[in-house]
Amino acid sequence: MTTATTAAIVESAGAPFTLTRIDLDDPRPGEVLVRIVAAGLCHTDLGVAAGALPFPLPGVLGHEGAGIVEAVGSGVTSVVPGDRVLLSFTSCGACGNCRDGHPAYCATWLPANLLGGRRADGSATLTRGGQPVGGHFFGQSSFARHALADERSVVKVAPDAPLDLLAPLGCGVLTGAGAIWNVLKPRPGATLMITGAGAVGLSAVMAARLSPAGRIIVVDRVPGRLKLAGELGATDTIDTTGRDLADAVAELTDGHGVDGVVETTGAAGVLQAGVGALAARGTAVIVGAPAFGTAVPVDVNHMLGGRTVTGLTLGDSETQALIPVLVDLVTSGRLPIDRLVRHYAFEDIQQAVTDVVAGDTIKPVLRVSRP
């Protein structure tokens, strides 16, 4: 049997999102059927829709889902029908990195989340007219009124949790916060720099404000976003429209540089400047993903001062541990992600895409169904 539902499908690379009827497979062992209440729209969704990654199209994207469990497959123990849940990435749970608490670096991460479009055994979770379409995106494909999620993608939340606010926790907020708390782990008084004041960058700002860091510098070219960064916790902002980043950082830090950088723009030149701005023993965290094959030159002698450059996926987060903490911080008002969110009806998904590409919206969240 299958569940007939409506999904926003991308027919081919560069095509818009269009709503269409699809059939969703019944939950198999370890799977959960979720009625989607809300779903965040992320730049990763846009990159895949544009053809930047070889995800099978036509397909259904979406990886910041939030909803209510309707059915569970055999062996599922963490949730039951009626539970409210947030959805995040999937992982195998058995490889070395998963066992060590680093599921974002799971041995199966790329095929299971980004490239495969099907279950690990090759079977399709979504069909249309009897033909498979790409699904299982981040173990969920939540741009639909129903999603079939891996149990490892599902995090249970409170019965009164505001799902249309919390949906972005599964990727964008998780990534920004994890960059600060899981990787940089700033010491008291540390100076941090966050390049890019989008959803991930501003989430990093809010997380840094909750850390013992003494100075939080935010870099962007949009005055409105820099203003918001200041309201969310940035102590200093740099508008690189008319200023050289290296000169501005040197001026702000009396030439000492910064202890940590979170680079979210995906611009190679910005990353290079961020690495150059590191103080001795500083760390630059690469979050923004440029085109495949992009290289950034590094001054080797500069690195000999104990400086580190590291890549990051999804905040190096263990979702069952971190997402509940983020939920508590949001609902208590200490992590005001509502300042980033703009809601759209599910039917207006393409308008949400237009607005986020234009920079008019920081974090679009689709309201898919009633809670």
Side-chain angles (χ1 to χ4, degrees):
M1 295 180 64
T2 59
T3 297
T5 193
T6 300
I9 199 165
V10 177
E11 298 289 353
S12 59
F17 290 88
T18 55
L19 284 123
T20 188
R21 298 289 289 178
I22 61 166
D23 292 310
L24 194 64
D25 202 7
D26 281 345
R28 294 187 183 180
E31 294 180 341
V32 180
L33 177 64
V34 179
R35 177 172 62 83
I36 298 296
V37 171
L41 178 67
C42 176
H43 281 284
T44 303
D45 297 307
L46 304 186
V48 174
L53 289 168
F55 181 81
L57 300 176
V60 179
L61 305 175
H63 62 286
E64 293 180 343
I68 300 170
V69 175
E70 290 201 339
V72 300
S74 63
V76 171
T77 59
S78 61
V79 293
V80 297
D83 283 343
R84 291 193 174 204
V85 293
L86 301 182
L87 307 183
S88 190
F89 64 93
T90 191
S91 54
C92 74
C95 70
N97 285 336
C98 284
R99 292 196 306 271
D100 286 345
H102 300 278
Y105 304 118
C106 173
T108 67
W109 199 90
L110 275 175
N113 288 279
L114 273 180
L115 305 181
R118 299 188 177 205
R119 297 181 177 97
D121 65 4
S123 60
T125 57
L126 307 177
T127 57
R128 180 176 58 175
Q131 296 300 311
V133 297
H136 200 257
F137 189 62
F138 279 67
Q140 55 182 282
S141 287
S142 54
F143 287 163
R145 299 201 188 278
H146 293 81
L148 191 60
D150 286 350
E151 184 179 15
R152 288 185 62 80
S153 294
V154 171
V155 180
K156 182 180 176 180
V157 295
D160 60 349
L163 297 177
D164 63 349
L165 175 60
L166 299 175
L169 298 188
C171 179
V173 177
L174 187 80
T175 299
I180 301 295
W181 297 337
N182 292 337
V183 182
L184 291 182
K185 302 176 183 177
R187 68 178 187 275
T191 296
L192 307 181
M193 182 169 73
I194 297 154
T195 53
V200 175
L202 292 173
S203 296
V205 171
M206 291 185 281
R209 185 190 59 180
L210 296 173
S211 80
R215 196 166 202 175
I216 305 168
I217 303 167
V218 177
V219 181
D220 205 287
R221 292 184 172 184
V222 181
R225 294 195 175 196
L226 291 172
K227 180 177 182 294
L228 178 57
E231 295 169 358
L232 294 175
T235 58
D236 305 272
T237 59
I238 300 172
D239 184 342
T240 54
T241 302
R243 297 187 69 187
D244 178 76
L245 179 55
D247 290 344
V249 172
E251 181 180 333
L252 283 173
T253 64
D254 294 326
H256 296 297
V258 299
D259 300 301
V261 173
V262 180
E263 203 307 285
T264 73
T265 71
V270 176
L271 173 59
Q272 185 176 5
V275 174
L278 288 175
R281 300 181 62 239
T283 297
V285 182
I286 305 172
V287 177
F292 283 97
T294 300
V296 174
V298 174
D299 184 329
V300 174
N301 286 304
H302 177 67
M303 300 303 295
L304 296 180
R307 297 171 178 89
T308 301
V309 180
T310 184
L312 183 69
T313 297
L314 287 153
D316 190 11
S317 303
E318 202 295 305
T319 55
Q320 299 295 333
L322 185 55
I323 287 180
V325 173
L326 293 172
V327 170
D328 288 344
L329 290 171
V330 172
T331 55
S332 67
R334 290 179 289 167
L335 197 74
I337 65 170
D338 59 294
R339 301 291 306 278
L340 316 182
V341 168
R342 180 179 177 185
H343 289 105
Y344 294 79
F346 187 35
E347 294 77 9
D348 295 331
I349 183 172
Q350 197 57 38
Q351 184 61 54
V353 171
T354 299
D355 290 349
V356 76
V357 170
D360 296 332
T361 297
I362 295 174
K363 171 52 70 172
V365 174
L366 308 170
R367 283 177 167 150
V368 180
S369 66
R370 291 185 177 275

